[in-house]
Amino acid sequence: DVSADEDSRSRWRSIRVMYFTMFLSSVGFTIVITSLWPYLQLIDASADASFLGWVVAAYSLGQMVASPLFGLWSNHRPRREPLACSIFINVSANIYYAYAYLPVRNNKFHVLTSRAFVGFGAGNVAVVRSYVAGATSLKERTGAMANMSACQALGFILGPALQACLSFIGEKGVAVEVIDLQLNMYTAPALLAALFGAVNVLLVALVLREHRVDDHGRHVRSINETESTVGEVPEEGIDQVAVLTSNTLFFVVMFIFAVFETISTPLSMDMFAWTRKEAVLYNGVIICVIGFESIVVFLVVKVASKRVGDRPVLLAGLLVIFLGFFILLPWGSRYPKIQWAGMRTPYGSPSDGPGPRQIWETPRSNGSLEPTGCPYQQTWCQYTPAVHLAQYLSSDLLIGVGYPACNVMSYTLYSKILGPTPQGVYMGWLTASGSGARTLGPVFVSQVYTVLGPRWAFSLICGMVAGAVVLLCVLYQRLVAFSVRRGSLVE
């Protein structure tokens, strides 16, 4: 049938646009994540590690608020509307971030606000996931979700790689006086993310078409048609306990990854006495390696889930994450280098805050002016053993296996539990639970790490992961696909 073939080709073209949207979304996030802390330190001397937690959390708070709204919008209107709107917000917010150095004072709050709006724009992840869930059969879904996660991982690779490359522009960079912009290693990535967003809008407008199929792969309808689908599947047909459990597990998975991405730069600067530039470069390279590792994991997950099922893969991923944080616990007799120097010069005093011109034009005779090591204000630095580089790298590799496996299995299982009901709002809630985790995780770890140190921070994370393992085991039998539970398909 020619019409059916054309529908299939159009459906997969649109799904690939969603893959690309997820790819660009993750590039837009990770391209600034390793330079966020040094950027904050440079433009506002009053910013500390605790405030970094709030800045990282602001992205997720914005996403948490936006996800259900965009999900609801996508249930009742063509998907390109919420997608185009969200991407435009994202582009504008990245430009705002690039100019956050410009005000004379309170620069750190401008960074905070811009990241909140970038996160609000990233609420479109709920729309992307609900589209792919609705446009694939039950048999196609794990593969499609794994492909989407692989595209997300590619974004995680390219983002830090671009940031690492752009770090060679340096902190001063080049002044573009016509638009009053200082183009440097901190502002260039955000502007590049804005450019990617503009490309994304064009793809959504020109290529994306609306498609929906049932669990067996039969084309149900085009969402452009006028009839409503709300109520096609009775709400009581969905296992709400399984839905709540899936949201809880996804919360834990995103919480621990938010902790990992927030703490990596401050931890490495404290433990290994890296400078700001070294921390951006080295952590960028590490995240790239983790990204490549994740792609391999997604390929393995696609095969493994077909052989043993989704739930065992999710359980294995949680156990690997537990091991990753467990080996990060400090031990031994070597202690971190203490940064006794309390001076903030040449960047201005904490009370006044530097003006924008002072920041970029202050001369630095040599690299020794930047104090390195564990700040003396963190008293635990004096009695807590240092985390070894081998521990840090081993933990990165293990989390790089466990997190992607848990991530793809969490929302693959979730989409199967929901069945053929319109999933925009439900996916919005799943994304919101993940965003809530990414809001609380950075604040939690930055406060606990700053006051109590890595031993307490990572012990509490291990306890949380262990709790998730117990929850999954207790409710294991309820986490099955809608069609399997209703008896219309076998798993």
Side-chain angles (χ1 to χ4, degrees):
D1 187 280
V2 175
S3 176
D5 287 346
E6 179 53 38
D7 275 344
S8 179
R9 283 195 294 271
S10 176
R11 179 166 68 97
W12 283 104
R13 273 198 302 270
S14 298
I15 289 171
R16 289 182 190 107
V17 171
M18 293 296 94
Y19 293 166
F20 193 62
T21 301
M22 186 67 88
F23 166 75
L24 291 182
S25 176
S26 62
V27 168
F29 175 65
T30 59
I31 200 169
V32 300
I33 197 68
T34 57
S35 64
L36 193 54
W37 175 229
Y39 184 45
L40 266 176
Q41 287 183 305
L42 189 64
I43 68 172
D44 196 328
S46 64
D48 57 14
S50 296
F51 191 79
L52 171 67
W54 290 105
V55 173
V56 176
Y59 174 95
S60 303
L61 185 61
Q63 191 179 47
M64 182 174 67
V65 171
S67 294
L69 300 177
F70 286 132
L72 183 63
W73 188 353
S74 74
N75 269 7
H76 297 282
R77 297 289 300 166
R79 313 290 172 87
R80 62 170 61 130
E81 290 180 12
L83 284 170
C85 176
S86 60
I87 296 166
F88 176 77
I89 292 170
N90 198 288
V91 169
S92 304
N94 273 306
I95 293 171
Y96 178 22
Y97 176 90
Y99 279 98
Y101 68 89
L102 203 54
V104 175
R105 59 180 61 87
N106 294 328
N107 304 77
K108 66 182 182 181
F109 292 109
H110 289 285
V111 172
L112 180 78
T113 306
S114 66
R115 291 300 293 169
F117 278 108
V118 170
F120 192 91
N124 62 19
V125 168
V127 183
V128 172
R129 287 178 180 159
S130 69
Y131 184 95
V132 174
T136 53
S137 69
L138 202 62
K139 192 174 289 186
E140 294 169 335
R141 197 161 308 153
T142 300
M145 290 291 188
N147 290 341
M148 189 162 61
S149 294
C151 291
Q152 191 175 23
L154 275 172
F156 274 104
I157 294 168
L158 188 57
L162 288 170
Q163 171 67 88
C165 293
L166 292 170
S167 68
F168 294 105
I169 298 174
E171 289 187 337
K172 185 173 179 181
V174 179
V176 185
E177 295 181 3
V178 178
I179 52 174
D180 207 12
L181 172 70
Q182 195 72 30
L183 191 67
N184 58 29
M185 63 186 277
Y186 305 123
T187 61
L191 294 172
L192 191 56
L195 180 63
F196 287 150
V199 173
N200 200 0
V201 169
L202 288 175
L203 281 170
V204 166
L206 299 175
V207 182
L208 183 68
R209 297 292 179 269
E210 305 286 346
H211 293 280
R212 185 165 172 237
V213 300
D214 64 16
D215 279 356
H216 299 271
R218 295 186 297 258
H219 193 269
V220 175
R221 67 174 186 93
S222 168
I223 295 175
N224 284 325
E225 291 173 18
T226 55
E227 72 267 25
S228 170
T229 60
V230 177
E232 273 185 8
V233 176
E235 285 289 315
E236 61 269 18
I238 299 170
D239 187 347
Q240 298 296 338
V241 172
V243 167
L244 183 60
T245 302
S246 298
N247 275 279
T248 304
L249 291 172
F250 192 66
F251 177 91
V252 173
V253 170
M254 297 308 293
F255 185 95
I256 53 188
F257 189 71
V259 166
F260 169 73
E261 67 190 5
T262 303
I263 207 62
S264 59
T265 301
L267 179 71
S268 58
M269 291 174 74
D270 290 350
M271 295 296 161
F272 315 131
W274 289 348
T275 65
R276 285 191 296 268
K277 191 168 181 179
E278 286 171 342
V280 170
L281 179 60
Y282 299 156
N283 281 306
V285 171
I286 288 168
I287 292 176
C288 284
V289 172
I290 292 173
F292 280 115
E293 182 187 13
S294 298
I295 291 173
V296 175
V297 172
F298 291 131
L299 295 174
V300 172
V301 159
K302 286 172 72 171
V303 176
S305 64
K306 286 180 181 177
R307 293 198 174 189
V308 301
D310 298 336
R311 294 169 296 174
V313 176
L314 178 58
L315 180 60
L318 286 170
L319 292 173
V320 172
I321 288 173
F322 177 86
L323 183 60
F325 276 99
F326 184 78
I327 66 169
L328 205 52
L329 293 171
W331 58 275
S333 57
R334 191 175 66 83
Y335 293 85
K337 173 191 171 186
I338 304 295
Q339 183 192 125
W340 293 110
M343 66 175 185
R344 292 278 188 173
T345 55
Y347 304 112
S349 67
S351 57
D352 299 331
R357 295 292 171 262
Q358 178 190 352
I359 294 166
W360 312 121
E361 294 172 9
T362 302
R364 291 172 64 179
S365 59
N366 58 62
S368 65
L369 285 177
E370 181 186 336
T372 59
C374 204
Y376 72 93
Q377 296 94 333
Q378 295 175 174
T379 52
W380 56 262
C381 296
Q382 299 170 41
Y383 58 80
T384 302
V387 173
H388 298 264
L389 184 59
Q391 282 177 274
Y392 182 65
L393 295 176
S394 300
S395 173
D396 289 342
L397 290 173
L398 286 169
I399 292 168
V401 170
Y403 169 72
C406 289
N407 187 11
V408 69
M409 285 301 105
S410 294
Y411 57 81
T412 299
L413 260 176
Y414 189 68
S415 69
K416 290 181 179 180
I417 288 165
L418 295 177
T421 188
Q423 296 188 7
V425 174
Y426 276 105
M427 281 295 178
W429 288 120
L430 184 73
T431 305
S433 71
S435 301
R438 294 176 75 114
T439 303
L440 296 173
V443 175
F444 160 82
V445 73
S446 58
Q447 298 293 333
V448 174
Y449 176 81
T450 303
V451 177
L452 300 173
R455 183 172 282 161
W456 271 95
F458 300 141
S459 295
L460 289 170
I461 294 299
C462 286
M464 179 174 282
V465 180
V469 170
V470 171
L471 177 65
L472 176 57
C473 292
V474 169
L475 293 167
Y476 191 85
Q477 297 301 326
R478 298 191 73 154
L479 300 178
V480 294
F482 180 91
S483 302
V484 172
R485 194 168 59 84
R486 297 291 288 265
S488 59
L489 281 177
V490 291
E491 194 171 22

